[in-house]
Every structure is written in C-alpha cells, then in structure tokens.
Amino acid sequence: MNLLGLIILSLALGALAWWGFVWSVKSGQYEDPEGPKYRMLDDDDDERPPAPPPPDGPPASSG
Amino acid sequence: MRCDHCLASFPAKEVVRLEGAAGAARPAAAPGDGPPGLARPADLVFCCTGCRGVWLLVNEEGLGRFYAERRWALPGRPVGQVAPPADLSAYAVTPADGGAAAEVDVAIDGIHCASCVWLNERLLQRTPGVLAARVNYATHRARVRFDPRRIDLPRVLSRIQSAGYEPKPWVETAQAAARDAEVKDLLVRLGTAWFLASQLMIYSAALYAGYFQGMDQGTRSLLEWISIGLAAPVLFSAGAPFWRSTLTGLRHGRFNMDSLVVLGSGAALGFSVWQALHGGEVWSDTAAMIPTLVLTGRYVEARARRAASEAVARLATLRPREARLVRRGQEPSTTPPGAGAPRPSAEEHGGRGAPPADRLVPVDQVRRGDLVRVVPGERIPLDGRVVEGESEADEALVTGESRPVPKGPGAAVIGGAINLHGSLVVEVTHVGEQTVLAGIIRAVEEAQAQKPRLQALADRVVGVFVPLVLALAAATAAFWLWRGAGAERALLHAIAVVVIACPCALGLATPVAVLLATGLASARGLLVKGGDALEVAGGVREVLLDKTGTVTRGRPALRAVLVLAGGSDPTTAVAPFAGRAAGLVALAAAVERRSEHHVGRAIVEAARALPAAPEPEVTGFAAVPGRGVEAAVDGRRVLIGNRAFLEDRGVPVPPEADGRALPFEGAGDTTAWLVWDGAVEAVFVVADPVRPEAPAALARLRGMGLTVSIVSGDARATTGAIAALLGVAAVAEASPQEKRSLVAARQAAGRRVAFVGDGLNDAPALTQADVGVAMGRGTDVTMESADAVLVRDDLSLLPDLLLLGRRATAIIRQNVFWAFFYNVVAIPLAVAGVLHPIVGAAAMAASSAFVVGNSLRLRSTFTRADAALARPAAGGSEVLP
C-alpha cells in the first residue's frame, strides 16, 4: 500500500537521524560546547611563525 | 637584573635602558624586586628591545596601569625551568589504537583564554611523537595521544611546562564521573524521547484531522497502532528511570514526581491500547509527551548543576599537591629502610654555595620528621615546626587571624598557611589525617552528613497530589457505577481522570526557573550549586559573615598617617609639592620598597596613589626581623618599625604620638613608627581595611529585613572595631567548630541562616548553614563546602544572591500553580466523561508555555533591583587622610 510505504520510509529516515544522534553523543561531541566557536577562528596555516604566547598573567579582568 | 616588562632576570651587560621615563607611568615594581640599590626607578631596564617596545606601546596607549595592577610579584615558576613532575603514577596512560599508541588526560593549569588553549594544542601537535592533542575549552583537559616508542610521558609533560603552563594529572572524582555519565545518559534518553515524540506528533495531527474531517476505519486504526508503537518506547525505554524511581518510592510508601509520570503516562498508554481495540480515541500523544517534557526538565537541571560543579572543580585544582623535600626524617619507625637513611651530605642543607636541589614529592609521600622547604609565596604543605629560616606566615585562611604571624626556628606552622617572605625549612610533625587541615575537613564532612537535603517544592506537592488524584479517580468510578453505568465504562472514566490530572509541565516548573536563575547569577559572577540552594537562599532570615577576607579585604593597607607637629621636616626634601603626610608616605615607601614585610607593602601600595616624584637616594638598607627596617636617606638615618624597635634604639616615644596611636592599637591595628634623625615624625597605621563595597552591601541586607552579624576567629578588639564601623553585632575569637555551633544554635531557634566566609576555618560553618556562601578567593575546601560562590570576590553580590533566591522561589511557586492549573480545570470534564484527547493535549501545551513564559520573567530581577537601588554609594576611600 502506498500510504504504508511512505510511513515506513519516514520512520526509516527518522531512525537514521536518531542513530546519528546517539552516535554523536557516544563519541563525545557534546562534551566541549565551548571549543568550536574558537576553533573556527583558528588559522591552520602552519607557514606562518606561531604567535607568541600570551603573557601568563592573571585573567584579563581590568581593561 | 630584572626586566621591567616581563620580570625575567638577565645579565646586566645585556640591559636595554629607557631613560627619562620617570615622568611617564612608573612601573610599580613589586616591593623587594631586584637587589637593593641597583634599580633606580627613574631608569627602566629591559631584557630586550622587544620588551621595551611593548612597554612603550602599553604606555602610549595609556594603559600604564597594567604594571600597577598586575600581581606578578608572587613568585611563580619561572618559564623554562622545567622540574620533572613529582609523581607520574597519578597520570592514567591508556593504550589506544590497539596498543600502537598511548593516550593520557592531563589537566593544564594556567589556561586563561582561548589562545592558551590554542598554544598548548599547537605546541603538543608539533612535538614529534605526539599523534593528536586536543584541549577542552571548558575543562582545560588535554587529551594527548602519543606514540610511546617515540616519546614518553615526562617529555610530553615537560613540553607543556616549557610554555609556562602546569600539567597536572586529570583526576576525576567518582562523583564527577557519575554526574557526567548521568548527563550523557539523560541526553541519549532525551534525544530518543524527542525523536519518538516528534514522529508521533505527525500521526497525532493526522488523527486529530481525522476526528473532524472523517477518516476511514482502516487508516485510522493503522495510524493509532503506529502512534501507540511510538509512544511505548518513550515510556518504557527512554522513561526507564521513572519506573525504577517509582518502585523505590513505593517501597518507602512515597509518591514522587516519577510516580506521577508513570501513573499518568502508563494510564494513558493502557487506555489507548484498550481504545484502539474497541474503537475509541487514543491518548498516545499524552503518554509520550509527559515523560518527554519531564526528561527535558531533568536534563536542564543536570546541565546547570554540572556547570556549577565544574567551575568549582577547576578552582580546586589550585591546591598544592607537592612538597619540596629537603631530607627524609630519621625516625626509623615511620620510614621504610633505605628511604629513611639521611641523604649524602652533598644534599644536606647548610653548606655555603648553591642550595641543595630539593626533590618535589607528592604531599602524601611526606612522612613525619621529614624536612621540607617552603619558599616565599608558597603554601606550607603540612603541619610542622620551623627548624631554619625566618619568615611570617599568613594563617588567615586557617585560623582567621588577619595579621601575619612571625615564624622563627621552633615556631609551629600550620599546613595550608602561606609563607610570606623568607625561605623556611620545616620539620613535618603531622601528616595525613592528623593535620589541622584534615580536622577541619572532617568537621565539614560531619556537617555535610547531617545537613538535610531540601525536598523540591514540586516533589512535596506531588506527595499530596497523587493520593488526591487516586481518590478522585476512585470517586469518579463509584459515581458512574452509582449512575448505573457498566464497570468497564466507570473504569474508563476513572482512568481519564488520572490521565488528565497528570501535569507534565510540573517537570519543567523548577528546572526552567533554576536554569534561568543560575544563568543570570553566573553572568553576575555568582556561582549557585543547584536549585535547592536558590530555594533556601530565598528563605534566609539571618546572615552571619566571617570578618577576615570576607567583610575586610584580607590584606593590610595603610589606614592612617599620624603626623606629629613640630620637629624637623624631612618631607621638603622628598616631595615639596605634596602635603606633609603624602611626603612622609613617599619617604617611607622609598625605604620600604626594599622590604617584603606586609607593613612595608601596605605603605608602598599607598605611595602608588601619590603623584610620581623622584625618589630620594636610599643607602644602607637593613631589615631587622620582628622589629622594622632602617636605612639612610640623603645621608640621614631613617627607622621604620614597631615600638620594640624604638625601645631597642633608645628613641623616646613622644606623648602626643603615644596618645594618638593607642586608640588604633587598641582596635587591633598595626602601627609603624617613622623615626627621622632620632625623633619620631609620624606613625603609620596599617590595618586590614573593610571592603569598600561592604557597608552598602550590609545596609542592603538589613534593608531586606535580615539580621546581619559578624563571626570571626580574629582578636576581640579588631573584630569589635570593624563591627562597630559597620553597625552590626559581632562574635570574636571563634574557632571553626564554634562558628559551626553558632550557626547551629541560630538554626535551632528556627531561623534559616546564611553563612559567608572565605577561609578553611569557615568551612564547617558554611556546610552547617542553610546556605553557605564562599568568597571567590577562598580555598578550595571552602568553595567545595559552600552552596554558592561569589566568583568576583565582591560582597555586593551577596544581597543579589538572596534577592535572586527570593525571586526564583516565588517564580517556582507560580510555575507549580500554572503547571496544575489547566489540568485541574479539565478534571471536571473527565469526571463528566466528556473528555477528548485534544483537550488533554491543549492543557499540556498551555501549561508548558505558561511555565516557560513565567520563568522568563526572572530575567528582570536585577534590572529592577538595580533601578530601585539607584547605585549604592561607593564606600569612602580608605587610604590617605
């Protein structure tokens, strides 16, 4: 039946998404929610000499 | 020589000078920097042109304050000096890639920002033999995968050290690991539940459309069975924890939130199956939505809790875990053979020349009788007795005493205290469980065990509500039987009552409000551990504050300068343009700059506020321990010291000075007497000043109708003076256990008590109190035992916390009401037997929307409070007259 086929298809697609979600949790993709926003700014260009380390002082609290 | 920018030591022949910089912002060299007489502040010295460039750049940008604000004077570990980690066994190296590689988790201390993370990652990735390195931005944990044949663990760690960061073993407490696993498990359940529920919604929508537009029986039946098939795993698989909790609850004869979920959702599912078989409307969407929404609330709650405890765990990594072992003790009974033998004389201390290389060992390997060295600025690792060296110890964190305690040979030292200046060699007398510190920690644990956990409001309501609903359902069945309906029909109506009465939004009522409140709090610099802390904070009637470090700043500052009339005026030579008091401070600072005593530091600190002036020439500086300092300025003798110093040198104390200094001394302040050419010129009063924000914060607390008082371990006079200044009651000389019993006494009188403190000596009281609030600069034990932490170390956050607690409690109460409201309104329909599943779905949606919307109102808490407050007056300046 046509309707039943569509239902099975939609359930299969949903199940695929669910499997992907469970996999992403198990592989620890939700453990560092902070990182990605910085990592996307990183230059992967290793030709450049590496930037000097930031002064290892107190956290920048004053202007 | 020391670079004025980076503070690195360098040989004098490589110096890069910047002359005539005295007019510009003077870099406030930390007291005692460099050998006396070498660095003339008018000239700046740099180790390289790069540092000079940076210094110029910083000052050109008008940011010279950086040099005054930075706290680099505390000796840290110099960059590049790589000490091998003391204890490699604490690092858990696990094989990866089937044995071809090894993986280790390292906590990196000293990471402040994203570029620190970047640097560490790149550094490790470029190290030959390291296969992969990734640093977690939130937890600062580096996961390093390396090839054990090409590089070993110590070389990986020293790579991190070489950049100036401190690798530490990543130790996760069993509690934290369990919490992480719980959050992960909840996330999978939540995702599963939402996936099934969203699929289910498609079929429910089709079914609802079918109710109104008509649908042939075959299609309808198919859709109904699919929806039941989707709802069942939500309840039985994703919702498995609800079943477990319900069973344990029932065994104790209690109904909790989970039993309500199981009851409502289970009844809805069973009802649906029966209806599908007999041709009625199904309730599978209700059956799925109840557990899904409650799981959402649980997840939100767990995340908020984990965020708070993660931040605290990060602060806890600051605890020193290593000791510098000079020599093993000779007690044969306490040391195994071999290790107990005295080290060869080359390692013995006492010879001239270079000091022996101390071994860094983990604190738990130190035994009684061992000699350990404590360098200035370091925490004393264990209780002991000084055998060599002169210094002062800051024991404020342990005992509450605000003034540094002088320590010479024979003096007892307490583990956890900070050695201020001068290197000490300490013979360890107590280790492990016998230390003072361990005793305090035991008291904390005791109080923790006795502290009752507050049952969440939702759970308390549910405990009453569930029996009520069951009674109502029974009454409905009885009513229909009495009306002459069949048993089957009566049962169906009864079940409908149970289904509609189950308020799924109740699961959101507390967590959403707590999430918003904790988020709001952390944006302000307040760390709240969990929702019940907020709820209790709202009900606090009495606030007890520790003094040292909580109401006061915890480090001494110059409070007053008593200038004596008459006499010769030494200040004209020093700072002719400034007032006499300022000139005296500048003069004293010029001398004290070479001292490391806390009085000296306070005077130097005060001099920083003065306009820059050419410093007089100071020669022949000498510090007399326990007395004071002396030097020659422009060829004339200057003494700065205590009364005993004056006596030693036969300087008469003028009666005027005596009379004016006595009240300050009576209040527990320290006095330093400035003698110029054999006559007392001025008396400096140094005291631990009240935090500038404290008067306003305490006034706000009283304005909120709270009783405020101070409890301190410090002396009666000092405590009394501060309390009188702030206009609150005070209890002095209280031991940690006394503080705790004081809190307990107030609690016994039926009042909810908040305790605010920063020291270890406060930890038992913090735990005992209904709400323990720790200052952000406190010790890790303090923060661990507290329910909330003022991360910004700002006392004005305390009223904010209590205000937020009140507001959050009110919002949670309203949420609970709204969660019940729509369901309760629909109950009569169920009793009457005319309830349609669409009504149930609408009730659910409406109450959830109301709960979330109502919680959002929390966001206005502080904007309103700030407006009402109209900016509290900044506390009066405390430094110069």
Side-chain angles (χ1 to χ4, degrees), chain B residues 536-579:
Chain B
V536 182
V540 161
R541 305 292 313 141
E542 182 150 0
V543 182
L544 298 177
L545 300 111
D546 167 54
K547 185 182 71 71
T548 314
T550 302
V551 177
T552 67
R553 281 222 307 237
R555 71 196 138 86
L558 185 61
R559 182 156 160 203
V561 183
L562 311 177
V563 184
L564 300 191
S568 62
D569 193 347
T571 61
T572 46
V574 181
F577 49 86

mmCIF file of all heavy atoms in Angstrom, chain B residues 536-579:
data_model
loop_
_atom_site.group_PDB
_atom_site.id
_atom_site.type_symbol
_atom_site.label_atom_id
_atom_site.label_comp_id
_atom_site.label_asym_id
_atom_site.label_seq_id
_atom_site.Cartn_x
_atom_site.Cartn_y
_atom_site.Cartn_z
ATOM 1 N N VAL B 536 16.514 27.768 49.154
ATOM 2 C CA VAL B 536 16.803 28.043 50.561
ATOM 3 C C VAL B 536 17.248 29.492 50.739
ATOM 4 O O VAL B 536 16.867 30.153 51.697
ATOM 5 C CB VAL B 536 17.873 27.072 51.097
ATOM 6 C CG1 VAL B 536 18.124 27.331 52.559
ATOM 7 C CG2 VAL B 536 17.419 25.644 50.898
ATOM 8 N N ALA B 537 18.033 29.979 49.783
ATOM 9 C CA ALA B 537 18.522 31.358 49.885
ATOM 10 C C ALA B 537 17.356 32.343 49.949
ATOM 11 O O ALA B 537 17.437 33.374 50.604
ATOM 12 C CB ALA B 537 19.424 31.688 48.700
ATOM 13 N N GLY B 538 16.265 31.991 49.294
ATOM 14 C CA GLY B 538 15.104 32.861 49.328
ATOM 15 C C GLY B 538 14.469 32.952 50.697
ATOM 16 O O GLY B 538 13.814 33.936 51.022
ATOM 17 N N GLY B 539 14.674 31.922 51.532
ATOM 18 C CA GLY B 539 14.026 31.898 52.836
ATOM 19 C C GLY B 539 14.928 32.299 53.982
ATOM 20 O O GLY B 539 14.554 32.164 55.143
ATOM 21 N N VAL B 540 16.124 32.803 53.666
ATOM 22 C CA VAL B 540 17.085 33.129 54.717
ATOM 23 C C VAL B 540 16.595 34.316 55.542
ATOM 24 O O VAL B 540 16.070 35.286 55.005
ATOM 25 C CB VAL B 540 18.458 33.434 54.074
ATOM 26 C CG1 VAL B 540 19.344 34.202 55.026
ATOM 27 C CG2 VAL B 540 19.138 32.155 53.651
ATOM 28 N N ARG B 541 16.731 34.188 56.872
ATOM 29 C CA ARG B 541 16.323 35.271 57.768
ATOM 30 C C ARG B 541 17.527 35.943 58.422
ATOM 31 O O ARG B 541 17.412 37.021 58.972
ATOM 32 C CB ARG B 541 15.415 34.738 58.889
ATOM 33 C CG ARG B 541 14.202 33.987 58.440
ATOM 34 C CD ARG B 541 13.187 34.875 57.742
ATOM 35 N NE ARG B 541 12.947 36.102 58.494
ATOM 36 C CZ ARG B 541 12.772 37.278 57.921
ATOM 37 N NH1 ARG B 541 12.836 37.384 56.622
ATOM 38 N NH2 ARG B 541 12.550 38.331 58.653
ATOM 39 N N GLU B 542 18.648 35.248 58.451
ATOM 40 C CA GLU B 542 19.780 35.756 59.217
ATOM 41 C C GLU B 542 21.065 35.501 58.438
ATOM 42 O O GLU B 542 21.241 34.435 57.846
ATOM 43 C CB GLU B 542 19.839 35.023 60.569
ATOM 44 C CG GLU B 542 20.948 35.500 61.446
ATOM 45 C CD GLU B 542 20.610 35.371 62.925
ATOM 46 O OE1 GLU B 542 19.505 34.912 63.237
ATOM 47 O OE2 GLU B 542 21.472 35.719 63.730
ATOM 48 N N VAL B 543 21.960 36.484 58.419
ATOM 49 C CA VAL B 543 23.214 36.349 57.691
ATOM 50 C C VAL B 543 24.371 36.503 58.673
ATOM 51 O O VAL B 543 24.443 37.482 59.407
ATOM 52 C CB VAL B 543 23.335 37.418 56.581
ATOM 53 C CG1 VAL B 543 24.627 37.229 55.813
ATOM 54 C CG2 VAL B 543 22.145 37.354 55.645
ATOM 55 N N LEU B 544 25.256 35.526 58.701
ATOM 56 C CA LEU B 544 26.470 35.616 59.507
ATOM 57 C C LEU B 544 27.646 35.738 58.555
ATOM 58 O O LEU B 544 27.737 34.990 57.581
ATOM 59 C CB LEU B 544 26.638 34.371 60.382
ATOM 60 C CG LEU B 544 25.548 34.105 61.407
ATOM 61 C CD1 LEU B 544 25.830 32.797 62.135
ATOM 62 C CD2 LEU B 544 25.469 35.242 62.401
ATOM 63 N N LEU B 545 28.535 36.679 58.830
ATOM 64 C CA LEU B 545 29.683 36.866 57.967
ATOM 65 C C LEU B 545 30.970 36.674 58.733
ATOM 66 O O LEU B 545 31.092 37.102 59.883
ATOM 67 C CB LEU B 545 29.684 38.270 57.356
ATOM 68 C CG LEU B 545 28.506 38.663 56.498
ATOM 69 C CD1 LEU B 545 27.687 39.714 57.203
ATOM 70 C CD2 LEU B 545 28.973 39.186 55.157
ATOM 71 N N ASP B 546 31.907 36.035 58.089
ATOM 72 C CA ASP B 546 33.256 35.966 58.615
ATOM 73 C C ASP B 546 33.879 37.348 58.412
ATOM 74 O O ASP B 546 33.416 38.115 57.579
ATOM 75 C CB ASP B 546 34.018 34.885 57.846
ATOM 76 C CG ASP B 546 35.500 34.943 58.105
ATOM 77 O OD1 ASP B 546 35.869 34.915 59.286
ATOM 78 O OD2 ASP B 546 36.277 35.019 57.142
ATOM 79 N N LYS B 547 34.912 37.672 59.200
ATOM 80 C CA LYS B 547 35.490 39.005 59.051
ATOM 81 C C LYS B 547 36.616 39.033 58.021
ATOM 82 O O LYS B 547 36.483 39.617 56.956
ATOM 83 C CB LYS B 547 36.009 39.512 60.393
ATOM 84 C CG LYS B 547 36.520 40.946 60.323
ATOM 85 C CD LYS B 547 37.083 41.429 61.618
ATOM 86 C CE LYS B 547 38.401 40.770 61.971
ATOM 87 N NZ LYS B 547 39.514 41.203 61.118
ATOM 88 N N THR B 548 37.729 38.350 58.369
ATOM 89 C CA THR B 548 38.925 38.467 57.551
ATOM 90 C C THR B 548 38.702 37.902 56.157
ATOM 91 O O THR B 548 38.371 36.744 56.011
ATOM 92 C CB THR B 548 40.086 37.722 58.225
ATOM 93 O OG1 THR B 548 40.102 38.080 59.585
ATOM 94 C CG2 THR B 548 41.392 38.057 57.560
ATOM 95 N N GLY B 549 38.887 38.731 55.169
ATOM 96 C CA GLY B 549 38.769 38.260 53.794
ATOM 97 C C GLY B 549 37.349 38.262 53.284
ATOM 98 O O GLY B 549 37.121 38.075 52.104
ATOM 99 N N THR B 550 36.391 38.463 54.192
ATOM 100 C CA THR B 550 35.005 38.475 53.741
ATOM 101 C C THR B 550 34.443 39.890 53.853
ATOM 102 O O THR B 550 34.057 40.497 52.862
ATOM 103 C CB THR B 550 34.151 37.501 54.575
ATOM 104 O OG1 THR B 550 34.718 36.206 54.461
ATOM 105 C CG2 THR B 550 32.733 37.458 54.071
ATOM 106 N N VAL B 551 34.430 40.395 55.075
ATOM 107 C CA VAL B 551 33.998 41.784 55.257
ATOM 108 C C VAL B 551 35.180 42.715 54.990
ATOM 109 O O VAL B 551 35.026 43.814 54.483
ATOM 110 C CB VAL B 551 33.456 41.998 56.685
ATOM 111 C CG1 VAL B 551 33.085 43.445 56.887
ATOM 112 C CG2 VAL B 551 32.260 41.108 56.927
ATOM 113 N N THR B 552 36.373 42.234 55.320
ATOM 114 C CA THR B 552 37.567 43.029 55.056
ATOM 115 C C THR B 552 38.255 42.471 53.816
ATOM 116 O O THR B 552 37.896 41.423 53.316
ATOM 117 C CB THR B 552 38.554 42.975 56.228
ATOM 118 O OG1 THR B 552 39.053 41.651 56.332
ATOM 119 C CG2 THR B 552 37.886 43.380 57.517
ATOM 120 N N ARG B 553 39.275 43.200 53.373
ATOM 121 C CA ARG B 553 39.924 42.783 52.136
ATOM 122 C C ARG B 553 40.826 41.582 52.336
ATOM 123 O O ARG B 553 41.177 40.897 51.401
ATOM 124 C CB ARG B 553 40.755 43.932 51.594
ATOM 125 C CG ARG B 553 39.904 44.946 50.873
ATOM 126 C CD ARG B 553 40.593 45.386 49.608
ATOM 127 N NE ARG B 553 41.943 45.825 49.891
ATOM 128 C CZ ARG B 553 42.387 47.025 49.583
ATOM 129 N NH1 ARG B 553 41.606 47.882 49.013
ATOM 130 N NH2 ARG B 553 43.625 47.361 49.842
ATOM 131 N N GLY B 554 41.256 41.347 53.564
ATOM 132 C CA GLY B 554 42.098 40.182 53.825
ATOM 133 C C GLY B 554 43.575 40.458 53.625
ATOM 134 O O GLY B 554 44.400 39.590 53.807
ATOM 135 N N ARG B 555 43.924 41.682 53.215
ATOM 136 C CA ARG B 555 45.346 42.019 53.208
ATOM 137 C C ARG B 555 45.478 43.460 53.683
ATOM 138 O O ARG B 555 44.609 44.297 53.402
ATOM 139 C CB ARG B 555 45.981 41.774 51.848
ATOM 140 C CG ARG B 555 45.607 42.709 50.760
ATOM 141 C CD ARG B 555 45.992 42.135 49.413
ATOM 142 N NE ARG B 555 44.928 42.365 48.459
ATOM 143 C CZ ARG B 555 44.822 43.488 47.759
ATOM 144 N NH1 ARG B 555 45.706 44.437 47.894
ATOM 145 N NH2 ARG B 555 43.828 43.666 46.919
ATOM 146 N N PRO B 556 46.539 43.733 54.438
ATOM 147 C CA PRO B 556 46.617 45.031 55.111
ATOM 148 C C PRO B 556 46.834 46.186 54.142
ATOM 149 O O PRO B 556 47.410 46.018 53.083
ATOM 150 C CB PRO B 556 47.819 44.872 56.041
ATOM 151 C CG PRO B 556 48.550 43.683 55.574
ATOM 152 C CD PRO B 556 47.655 42.842 54.757
ATOM 153 N N ALA B 557 46.350 47.326 54.551
ATOM 154 C CA ALA B 557 46.556 48.548 53.782
ATOM 155 C C ALA B 557 46.810 49.686 54.760
ATOM 156 O O ALA B 557 46.467 49.596 55.937
ATOM 157 C CB ALA B 557 45.331 48.859 52.926
ATOM 158 N N LEU B 558 47.410 50.742 54.261
ATOM 159 C CA LEU B 558 47.685 51.896 55.102
ATOM 160 C C LEU B 558 46.372 52.601 55.400
ATOM 161 O O LEU B 558 45.641 52.977 54.502
ATOM 162 C CB LEU B 558 48.636 52.853 54.357
ATOM 163 C CG LEU B 558 49.103 54.063 55.171
ATOM 164 C CD1 LEU B 558 49.876 53.623 56.400
ATOM 165 C CD2 LEU B 558 49.934 54.979 54.311
ATOM 166 N N ARG B 559 46.083 52.743 56.706
ATOM 167 C CA ARG B 559 44.794 53.289 57.067
ATOM 168 C C ARG B 559 44.879 54.764 57.436
ATOM 169 O O ARG B 559 44.009 55.539 57.103
ATOM 170 C CB ARG B 559 44.249 52.495 58.245
ATOM 171 C CG ARG B 559 42.892 52.940 58.668
ATOM 172 C CD ARG B 559 42.223 51.799 59.378
ATOM 173 N NE ARG B 559 41.154 52.290 60.190
ATOM 174 C CZ ARG B 559 40.680 51.652 61.233
ATOM 175 N NH1 ARG B 559 41.200 50.490 61.570
ATOM 176 N NH2 ARG B 559 39.699 52.145 61.919
ATOM 177 N N ALA B 560 45.933 55.099 58.153
ATOM 178 C CA ALA B 560 46.060 56.494 58.548
ATOM 179 C C ALA B 560 47.536 56.827 58.738
ATOM 180 O O ALA B 560 48.357 55.956 59.007
ATOM 181 C CB ALA B 560 45.298 56.747 59.851
ATOM 182 N N VAL B 561 47.845 58.089 58.565
ATOM 183 C CA VAL B 561 49.189 58.581 58.865
ATOM 184 C C VAL B 561 49.026 59.638 59.957
ATOM 185 O O VAL B 561 48.343 60.637 59.760
ATOM 186 C CB VAL B 561 49.853 59.204 57.618
ATOM 187 C CG1 VAL B 561 51.274 59.642 57.956
ATOM 188 C CG2 VAL B 561 49.849 58.232 56.462
ATOM 189 N N LEU B 562 49.623 59.373 61.122
ATOM 190 C CA LEU B 562 49.544 60.343 62.219
ATOM 191 C C LEU B 562 50.798 61.197 62.136
ATOM 192 O O LEU B 562 51.897 60.738 62.441
ATOM 193 C CB LEU B 562 49.463 59.620 63.561
ATOM 194 C CG LEU B 562 48.419 58.493 63.646
ATOM 195 C CD1 LEU B 562 48.514 57.812 65.007
ATOM 196 C CD2 LEU B 562 47.031 59.048 63.417
ATOM 197 N N VAL B 563 50.628 62.410 61.664
ATOM 198 C CA VAL B 563 51.775 63.312 61.514
ATOM 199 C C VAL B 563 51.938 64.101 62.803
ATOM 200 O O VAL B 563 50.973 64.661 63.316
ATOM 201 C CB VAL B 563 51.553 64.272 60.328
ATOM 202 C CG1 VAL B 563 52.787 65.129 60.131
ATOM 203 C CG2 VAL B 563 51.229 63.484 59.074
ATOM 204 N N LEU B 564 53.152 64.108 63.326
ATOM 205 C CA LEU B 564 53.376 64.802 64.583
ATOM 206 C C LEU B 564 53.749 66.256 64.295
ATOM 207 O O LEU B 564 54.459 66.559 63.327
ATOM 208 C CB LEU B 564 54.510 64.140 65.354
ATOM 209 C CG LEU B 564 54.248 62.667 65.690
ATOM 210 C CD1 LEU B 564 55.284 62.180 66.682
ATOM 211 C CD2 LEU B 564 52.853 62.476 66.253
ATOM 212 N N ALA B 565 53.254 67.101 65.152
ATOM 213 C CA ALA B 565 53.546 68.519 64.973
ATOM 214 C C ALA B 565 54.995 68.794 65.342
ATOM 215 O O ALA B 565 55.606 68.073 66.125
ATOM 216 C CB ALA B 565 52.607 69.348 65.859
ATOM 217 N N GLY B 566 55.525 69.873 64.727
ATOM 218 C CA GLY B 566 56.858 70.310 65.073
ATOM 219 C C GLY B 566 57.936 69.407 64.527
ATOM 220 O O GLY B 566 57.695 68.562 63.667
ATOM 221 N N GLY B 567 59.119 69.603 65.046
ATOM 222 C CA GLY B 567 60.230 68.783 64.597
ATOM 223 C C GLY B 567 60.741 69.255 63.259
ATOM 224 O O GLY B 567 60.183 70.149 62.623
ATOM 225 N N SER B 568 61.812 68.657 62.837
ATOM 226 C CA SER B 568 62.339 68.997 61.521
ATOM 227 C C SER B 568 61.426 68.386 60.469
ATOM 228 O O SER B 568 60.702 67.441 60.743
ATOM 229 C CB SER B 568 63.751 68.427 61.379
ATOM 230 O OG SER B 568 63.696 67.028 61.483
ATOM 231 N N ASP B 569 61.427 68.948 59.277
ATOM 232 C CA ASP B 569 60.521 68.442 58.258
ATOM 233 C C ASP B 569 61.302 67.732 57.163
ATOM 234 O O ASP B 569 61.939 68.366 56.337
ATOM 235 C CB ASP B 569 59.732 69.615 57.658
ATOM 236 C CG ASP B 569 58.572 69.099 56.827
ATOM 237 O OD1 ASP B 569 58.573 67.879 56.535
ATOM 238 O OD2 ASP B 569 57.712 69.898 56.474
ATOM 239 N N PRO B 570 61.271 66.442 57.203
ATOM 240 C CA PRO B 570 62.058 65.721 56.198
ATOM 241 C C PRO B 570 61.400 65.721 54.829
ATOM 242 O O PRO B 570 62.039 65.388 53.842
ATOM 243 C CB PRO B 570 62.110 64.301 56.759
ATOM 244 C CG PRO B 570 60.860 64.178 57.559
ATOM 245 C CD PRO B 570 60.555 65.542 58.096
ATOM 246 N N THR B 571 60.119 66.092 54.772
ATOM 247 C CA THR B 571 59.404 65.868 53.518
ATOM 248 C C THR B 571 59.752 66.899 52.462
ATOM 249 O O THR B 571 59.599 66.644 51.279
ATOM 250 C CB THR B 571 57.896 65.926 53.758
ATOM 251 O OG1 THR B 571 57.588 67.219 54.250
ATOM 252 C CG2 THR B 571 57.449 64.885 54.734
ATOM 253 N N THR B 572 60.246 68.064 52.861
ATOM 254 C CA THR B 572 60.540 69.074 51.857
ATOM 255 C C THR B 572 61.584 68.564 50.887
ATOM 256 O O THR B 572 61.586 68.933 49.722
ATOM 257 C CB THR B 572 61.041 70.357 52.538
ATOM 258 O OG1 THR B 572 62.013 69.998 53.510
ATOM 259 C CG2 THR B 572 59.895 71.104 53.176
ATOM 260 N N ALA B 573 62.456 67.712 51.389
ATOM 261 C CA ALA B 573 63.494 67.185 50.516
ATOM 262 C C ALA B 573 62.927 66.133 49.558
ATOM 263 O O ALA B 573 63.495 65.873 48.511
ATOM 264 C CB ALA B 573 64.609 66.565 51.354
ATOM 265 N N VAL B 574 61.831 65.534 49.956
ATOM 266 C CA VAL B 574 61.329 64.405 49.186
ATOM 267 C C VAL B 574 60.292 64.827 48.163
ATOM 268 O O VAL B 574 60.417 64.605 46.971
ATOM 269 C CB VAL B 574 60.722 63.348 50.131
ATOM 270 C CG1 VAL B 574 60.223 62.162 49.317
ATOM 271 C CG2 VAL B 574 61.752 62.908 51.137
ATOM 272 N N ALA B 575 59.232 65.443 48.643
ATOM 273 C CA ALA B 575 58.135 65.793 47.756
ATOM 274 C C ALA B 575 57.616 67.160 48.141
ATOM 275 O O ALA B 575 56.612 67.278 48.816
ATOM 276 C CB ALA B 575 57.028 64.756 47.842
ATOM 277 N N PRO B 576 58.344 68.187 47.744
ATOM 278 C CA PRO B 576 57.987 69.523 48.229
ATOM 279 C C PRO B 576 56.600 69.970 47.798
ATOM 280 O O PRO B 576 55.996 70.797 48.457
ATOM 281 C CB PRO B 576 59.060 70.430 47.601
ATOM 282 C CG PRO B 576 59.690 69.616 46.528
ATOM 283 C CD PRO B 576 59.494 68.188 46.866
ATOM 284 N N PHE B 577 56.093 69.396 46.708
ATOM 285 C CA PHE B 577 54.805 69.867 46.195
ATOM 286 C C PHE B 577 53.626 69.232 46.914
ATOM 287 O O PHE B 577 52.546 69.769 46.928
ATOM 288 C CB PHE B 577 54.704 69.571 44.696
ATOM 289 C CG PHE B 577 55.061 68.163 44.365
ATOM 290 C CD1 PHE B 577 54.095 67.172 44.443
ATOM 291 C CD2 PHE B 577 56.374 67.822 44.012
ATOM 292 C CE1 PHE B 577 54.428 65.881 44.159
ATOM 293 C CE2 PHE B 577 56.692 66.510 43.734
ATOM 294 C CZ PHE B 577 55.726 65.540 43.799
ATOM 295 N N ALA B 578 53.819 68.046 47.482
ATOM 296 C CA ALA B 578 52.701 67.353 48.097
ATOM 297 C C ALA B 578 52.555 67.768 49.550
ATOM 298 O O ALA B 578 53.396 68.460 50.101
ATOM 299 C CB ALA B 578 52.921 65.853 48.010
ATOM 300 N N GLY B 579 51.469 67.358 50.162
ATOM 301 C CA GLY B 579 51.259 67.648 51.567
ATOM 302 C C GLY B 579 52.265 66.905 52.426
ATOM 303 O O GLY B 579 53.015 66.050 51.941
#
